[in-house]
Structure formats: structure tokens, C-alpha cells
């Protein structure tokens, strides 16, 4: 910005006040918006040495707070994005809550369960573990809530989603064993989200990461994993689970930070090729 009376810069430098701790390690595991119905506890510990204990004074009386945060796992933005809900249709990014924004800022209202020192205990949220948080503000229903306001294309999608799910999801013995192994041995469980997505609409969709593999099968990306499935009428048959990366990548230098890397390698040892359906 320039001008005779304007001395402010047009660049704002933000510094995180803290980093959220959640169970969600990868983006796929995080909800698109927090779900009120879920029992979930998350922690935001503000950084020491900045007097944030004092800044949190008087917050405990609020049921909810806004978190303003950084989509730090994204590097680009796009003017048109395909929201994960609804038909495979692109929308203007400013008409969405997409993470792919010119300024990568997220805003989430979360239940405030407790405040102690620099530590906030929070209810369900849609942030992945380690997300930098820039600000906390009290949620004030009188300012922040306008029930009955039109929500454009989202109202249309919600109307369609209020219908019962059209597809039933079945698991082959192999897929079931693999899912149980992941849950029991590695505490990885993406099944609820997988079932929710596939029971609604298993058709090709870039943002839902559904890709056709061949004439018979497709796969859906689930974090660092894939579920291979086929569709027959209104039945979705999950045939197998696969790691998202082949072994030759997982063992290559530079791939140490692949999510669930160790688990993928152990999985490939257990199912070297059986999952390739
Ligand atoms: C649709 S956005 C909505 C965020 C926020 N409630 C808003 O409206 O601005 C939520 C999604 O952001 C993704 N996400 C969460 N934390 C992220 C991070 N640190 N960096 C990039 N994407 C993230 C997850 O995939 C999550 O499902």
C-alpha cells in the first residue's frame, strides 16, 4: 500500500502463538469442519516466554473459541477448487473453505473445555497435528452466528446429503484383515471416513482422491494409504488396502518423512504383493 497518509506496510508477518496437538497425523484424517457429535479432546499449548498466561485471562467463561491458523501443509493456492463434498464441480476458492487460498489462513470454532496456564483443552477440531495457530478469539453467538443465512451451493449439497447414503460398503476378507492389522498393530484407522465417503458417492473425484485403476476397480486415497474397490450396482466392495508408496520409494533417501512410513514398510513385509488386486 502506498499513499501520503499511509505509513503501514502491505505485508503482515505472523508468528504462531502455539501448535495444536491432535490425533490427526495426516490431512485425510481431519474433518472438513469439526463435528459437534464427536468425542475428541485436543490441546493447544501456547508458547512460553510471551506472557500468554495473562493473555488467556477471562477466556474460561466462554463455551467456544475461534482458532485462526495456518494451512501450513499446503504450498499453493488455486482460484478454482473442487470441494470434497458434493458433485465433481469447481468453485471459486472464496466461496469455499478450501485450504488452497492465497493467504493460507484457516478459522475454526472449537469447544473450549478448559484453560490452565498456557494450555487450552479443546473439543473436536479440523486441524492436523502440529498446525501453527496464530490467534484465539472468543466465539460470541451474538456476533458470530446468523442462523438461517443462505449458504449458496453448500445448502444444495446439504440437501442432497440429508438423503440416506445410496451405497453399502462391504469389505473382502483380505481388506478386513488388513484394516484390523493397521488398527491393532499401528493404531491407524481410516475406516469410518472411508465408509462415509464411499457410501455417499464412489464415483471419480479428484479432491476425494478417487481414481479409476482399470475397468473393474478404482482406488481412494486415505492419507498415506489406498483402498482398492469395485462397484456393483449399489454395493461398494473394498477389495484390499495398499500403502500409498511402493517399497522402492519408502527405502529411498529423502523419503524419511513420508507419513506412516514405518507402518507402510511393515505392511509390505506382511503383504508383499497380495494386495495388488
Ligand atoms: C476444509 S478445511 C476448513 C478449515 C477451517 N475450518 C476453515 O473453514 O477455514 C479443513 C481441512 O483442512 C485440512 N488441514 C487441516 N490442517 C491442515 C494444515 N495444517 N495444513 C493444510 N491442510 C490442513 C484437513 O484436510 C481438513 O479436513
Amino acid at each position: 500500500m502506498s499513499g501520503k497518509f499511509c505509513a503501514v506496510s502491505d505485508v503482515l508477518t505472523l508468528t504462531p502463538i502455539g501448535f495444536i496437538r491432535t490425533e490427526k497425523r495426516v490431512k485425510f484424517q481431519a474433518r472438513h469442519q469439526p463435528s459437534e457429535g464427536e468425542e475428541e479432546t485436543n490441546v493447544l499449548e501456547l508458547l512460553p516466554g510471551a506472557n500468554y498466561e495473562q493473555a488467556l485471562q477471562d477466556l474460561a467463561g466462554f463455551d467456544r473459541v475461534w482458532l485462526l491458523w495456518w494451512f501450513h501443509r499446503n504450498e499453493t493456492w488455486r482460484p478454482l477448487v473442487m470441494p470434497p463434498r458434493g458433485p465433481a464441480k469447481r468453485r471459486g476458492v472464496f466461496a469455499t473453505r478450501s485450504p488452497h487460498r492465497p493467504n493460507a489462513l484457516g478459522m475454526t470454532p472449537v469447544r473450549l473445555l478448559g484453560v490452565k496456564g498456557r494450555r487450552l483443552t479443546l473439543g473436536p477440531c479440523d486441524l492436523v497435528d502440529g498446525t501453527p495457530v496464530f490467534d484465539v478469539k472468543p466465539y460470541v453467538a451474538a456476533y458470530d452466528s446468523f442462523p438461517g443465512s443462505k449458504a449458496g451451493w453448500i445448502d444444495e449439497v446439504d440437501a442432497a446429503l440429508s438423503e440416506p447414503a445410496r451405497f453399502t460398503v462391504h469389505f473382502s476378507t483380505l481388506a478386513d484383515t488388513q484394516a484390523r492389522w493397521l488398527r491393532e498393530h499401528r493404531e491407524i484407522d481410516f475406516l469410518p471416513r472411508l465408509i462415509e465417503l464411499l457410501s455417499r458417492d464412489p464415483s471419480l473425484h479428484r479432491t476425494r482422491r478417487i481414481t479409476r485403476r482399470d475397468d473393474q476397480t478404482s482406488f481412494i486415497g486415505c492419507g498415506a494409504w489406498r483402498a482398492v474397490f469395485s462397484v456393483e450396482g449399489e454395493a461398494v466392495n473394498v477389495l484390499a488396502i495398499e500403502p500409498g508408496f511402493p517399497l522402492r520409494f519408502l527405502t529411498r533417501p529423502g523419503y524419511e518423512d513420508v507419513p506412516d512410513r514405518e507402518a507402510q514398510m511393515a505392511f509390505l513385509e506382511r503383504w508383499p504383493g497380495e494386495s495388488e488386486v
Side-chain angles (χ1 to χ4, degrees), residues 63-133:
D63 271 348
R64 288 181 166 72
V65 289
W66 285 104
L67 299 183
L68 303 180
W69 51 279
W70 183 3
F71 290 112
H72 75 309
R73 297 250 184 112
N74 287 353
E75 280 163 15
T76 55
W77 79 277
R78 292 191 290 272
L80 291 179
V81 294
M82 191 185 294
R85 294 181 349 133
K89 186 164 187 273
R90 287 178 198 286
R91 319 266 179 185
V93 70
F94 294 139
T96 75
R97 296 299 191 90
S98 166
H100 301 279
R101 329 186 66 80
N103 291 309
L105 293 175
M107 49 185 275
T108 302
V110 286
R111 256 187 284 142
L112 178 62
L113 305 175
V115 184
K116 198 166 181 201
R118 284 179 282 109
R119 190 184 164 95
L120 304 175
T121 310
L122 304 169
C125 74
D126 54 2
L127 291 69
V128 296
D129 188 49
T131 296
V133 175

Side-chain angles (χ1 to χ4, degrees), residues 123-159:
C125 74
D126 54 2
L127 291 69
V128 296
D129 188 49
T131 296
V133 175
F134 294 125
D135 204 357
V136 174
K137 300 190 188 203
Y139 171 89
V140 183
Y143 311 157
D144 298 338
S145 163
F146 303 91
S149 304
K150 279 196 294 178
W153 65 269
I154 295 177
D155 282 343
E156 290 162 26
V157 170
D158 281 345

Side-chain angles (χ1 to χ4, degrees), residues 15-18 46-57 117-118 134:
T15 309
I17 56 169
L46 302 188
L47 296 171
N51 222 353
Y52 289 145
E53 296 81 348
Q54 224 176 355
L56 288 173
Q57 204 174 292
R118 284 179 282 109
F134 294 125

Side-chain angles (χ1 to χ4, degrees), residues 6-72:
C6 191
V8 293
S9 154
D10 55 3
V11 174
L12 170 67
T13 305
L14 298 175
T15 309
I17 56 169
F19 298 85
I20 194 130
R21 292 287 151 229
T22 83
E23 293 288 309
K24 286 139 196 154
R25 306 268 176 263
V26 292
K27 288 193 270 177
F28 178 84
Q29 293 172 313
R31 293 249 154 207
H32 300 138
Q33 296 293 337
S35 160
E36 274 294 301
E38 261 163 44
E39 282 308 315
E40 185 186 306
T41 306
N42 300 295
V43 171
L44 172 62
E45 177 115 22
L46 302 188
L47 296 171
N51 222 353
Y52 289 145
E53 296 81 348
Q54 224 176 355
L56 288 173
Q57 204 174 292
D58 303 311
L59 192 66
F62 290 84
D63 271 348
R64 288 181 166 72
V65 289
W66 285 104
L67 299 183
L68 303 180
W69 51 279
W70 183 3
F71 290 112
H72 75 309

